[in-house]
């Protein structure tokens, strides 16, 4: 294959796409807006699922490297009510069915697996023009441009490649996640460390909840989930860290102090994230020479699947191209149809999970789901 393959975005999806292509002897260039691999801390712990994320890592030849970064013991989960009463407790069974890893570690093993020079950092895509016959001209913020024979849009929620294919735009789902971090928790934040336990902790009520994970190195990472308007969130001055913590904590008045400590004792300024999603069954007609993977294709509310799906998309697209390198259109069609189907299914699942967390059934809906009493749909 002599075509020029351009990938926009060095997130987990774009990196997996480039790696699996490289494993199959196909060279690519990734254009990434961030100035370097270290430019932004890649927060968060992800559980990597056997049927998508782990399969992608196997296709990437990185199973051993992945095993080496697993945070053992982190698969435990508990659900609490707002007073801290335990409604459900699941120990880590040690089976490693859905191992937890830090996003930054996963990104690091993918980056270091790529041939030198694959990633061009500091290349922020600002526009794409179709040149015909599947070729595209990519323009970057630094004034440079390149031409691709095959373009993979892996540039996430606010993809600049997506408008070539679709008019769909992400819409606010009505829930904000406010992110907090507590460091050295077993020494400095003992009550919060105890209430979170060894893995994931869900303290939920209709309209709001506190969800936290224990990450490697004694770190507690929490998402304070609230059904609030964008205007309500915008009305809080998050640059005044102390005032923002106090303001958010008042919304949880009467909750167990060990739970609200996940807000008030945050070692980082509270970081609000308005959760957006594309329409559930987002798809597009086949357009020569370009496709999307990951959040660019099927942005959905966090449900524990997004990063797994992005990696799986990347691996599936790479394998489709490797299977018929001289018929790119057939390869893209073979990749897209199953991706549309799994994206639609998972998007529905993501709405269901978000509703269990902050909808009217909280906190018991999630407990019933965990114990198998409640199925999806
Ligand atoms: C609060 C929260 C919690 C989550 N928790 C989980 C979880 O526990 N498990 C899970 O599986 N998923 C989780 N997700 C979802 C997951 O983060 C995403 O689905 C996943 O990161 C998508 O990967 P991606 O490669 O498609 O996009 P991204 O990870 O967004 O990567 C896109 C890349 O493209 C680059 N880029 C963007 N625009 C441009 C441009 N114009 N030019 C060049 N480069 C560009 C970006 O800098 C970035 O590096 C969570 C999401 C959120 C918001």
């Amino acid at each position: 294959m002599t075509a020029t393959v351009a990938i926009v975005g060095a997130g987990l999806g774009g990196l997996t796409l480039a790696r699996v292509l490289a494993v199959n002897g196909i060279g690519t260039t990734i254009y990434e807006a961030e100035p370097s691999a270290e430019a932004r801390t890649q927060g968060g712990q992800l559980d990597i699922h056997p049927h998508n994320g782990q399969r992608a890592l196997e296709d990437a030849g990185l199973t051993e490297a992945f095993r080496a970064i697993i945070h053992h013991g982190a698969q435990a989960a508990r659900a609490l009510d707002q007073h801290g009463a335990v409604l459900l407790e699941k120990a880590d069974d040690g089976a490693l069915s859905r191992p937890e890893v830090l996003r930054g570690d996963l990104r690091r093993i993918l980056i270091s697996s790529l041939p030198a020079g694959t990633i061009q950092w500091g290349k922020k895509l600002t526009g794409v023009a179709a040149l015909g016959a599947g070729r595209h001209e990519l323009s970057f913020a630094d004034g440079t441009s390149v031409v691709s024979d095959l373009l993979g849009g892996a540039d996430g929620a606010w993809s600049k490649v997506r408008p070539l294919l679709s008019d769909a735009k992400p819409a606010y789902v009505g829930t904000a996640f406010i992110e907090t971090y507590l460091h050295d928790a077993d020494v400095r934040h003992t009550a919060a460390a105890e209430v979170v336990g060894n893995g994931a902790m869900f303290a939920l009520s209709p309209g709001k909840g506190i969800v936290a994970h224990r990450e490697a190195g004694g770190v507690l990472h929490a998402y304070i989930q609230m059904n609030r308007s964008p205007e309500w969130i915008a009305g809080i001055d998050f640059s005044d860290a102390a005032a923002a913590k106090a303001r958010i904590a008042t919304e949880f008045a009467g909750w167990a102090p060990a739970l609200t400590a996940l807000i008030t004792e945050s070692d980082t300024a509270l970081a609000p994230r308005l959760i957006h999603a594309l329409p559930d069954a987002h798809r597009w007609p086949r357009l020569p020479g370009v496709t999307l993977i990951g959040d660019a294709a099927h942005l959905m509310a966090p449900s524990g699947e997004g990063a797994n799906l992005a990696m799986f998309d990347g691996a599936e697209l790479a394998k489709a191209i490797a299977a018929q390198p001289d018929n790119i259109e057939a390869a893209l069609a073979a990749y897209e149809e199953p991706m549309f189907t799994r994206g639609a299914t998972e998007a529905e699942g993501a709405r269901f999970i978000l509703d269990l967390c902050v909808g009217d059934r909280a906190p018991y809906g999630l407990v019933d789901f965990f114990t198998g009493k409640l199925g999806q749909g």
Side-chain angles (χ1 to χ4, degrees), residues 8-14 31-34 40 45-47 103 107 123-126 154-158 160 177 223 273 275 293-296 302 304-308 310:
V8 182
L12 293 174
Y31 300 94
E32 165 58 48
E34 300 277 345
R40 192 164 44 96
Q45 196 159 266
L46 307 167
D47 56 317
R103 183 192 292 264
R107 196 161 178 255
K123 289 284 180 187
K124 181 174 185 180
L125 184 76
T126 49
D155 49 344
W158 303 102
K160 284 274 189 304
F177 282 22
Y223 291 116
R273 307 195 186 287
I275 302 300
I293 67 170
D295 280 3
E305 292 292 347
N308 284 277

Side-chain angles (χ1 to χ4, degrees), residues 352-374:
F352 175 74
I353 298 284
L354 187 65
D355 183 62
L356 290 183
C357 288
V358 288
D360 292 342
R361 286 176 288 188
Y364 304 103
L366 191 75
V367 173
D368 289 346
F369 182 64
F370 276 164
T371 52
K373 284 191 205 140
L374 182 66

Side-chain angles (χ1 to χ4, degrees), residues 157-158 162 167-176 228 230 273-280 282 295 298-302 351 354:
W158 303 102
R162 189 192 300 129
D167 291 334
K169 293 199 171 41
Y172 180 49
V173 301
T175 306
R228 294 287 180 186
R273 307 195 186 287
L274 297 178
I275 302 300
H276 285 72
L278 283 165
D280 284 359
H282 181 228
D295 280 3
H298 41 61
L299 178 68
M300 59 190 75
R351 284 186 194 282
L354 187 65

Side-chain angles (χ1 to χ4, degrees), residues 23 48 92 131:
V23 165
I48 304 301
D92 185 331
L131 301 176

Side-chain angles (χ1 to χ4, degrees), residues 182-274:
L182 281 66
H183 297 137
D184 200 9
D186 296 312
V187 177
R188 299 179 50 239
H189 306 289
T190 46
E194 204 168 310
V195 86
V196 172
N198 291 329
M201 184 283 297
F202 299 82
L204 305 169
S205 73
K208 59 188 167 210
I210 300 176
V211 175
H213 285 85
R214 175 183 287 263
E215 297 184 349
V219 173
L220 304 178
H221 180 194
Y223 291 116
I224 316 306
Q225 305 186 353
M226 304 178 76
N227 287 348
R228 294 287 180 186
S229 68
E231 295 75 27
W232 190 89
I233 298 292
I236 297 171
D237 179 6
F238 285 94
S239 69
D240 183 343
K245 284 181 201 171
R247 178 68 192 89
I248 297 298
T250 59
E251 297 296 309
F252 291 84
W255 285 48
L259 289 170
T260 53
L262 288 160
I263 306 168
T264 54
E265 293 183 17
S266 179
D267 289 312
T268 54
L270 271 50
R273 307 195 186 287
L274 297 178

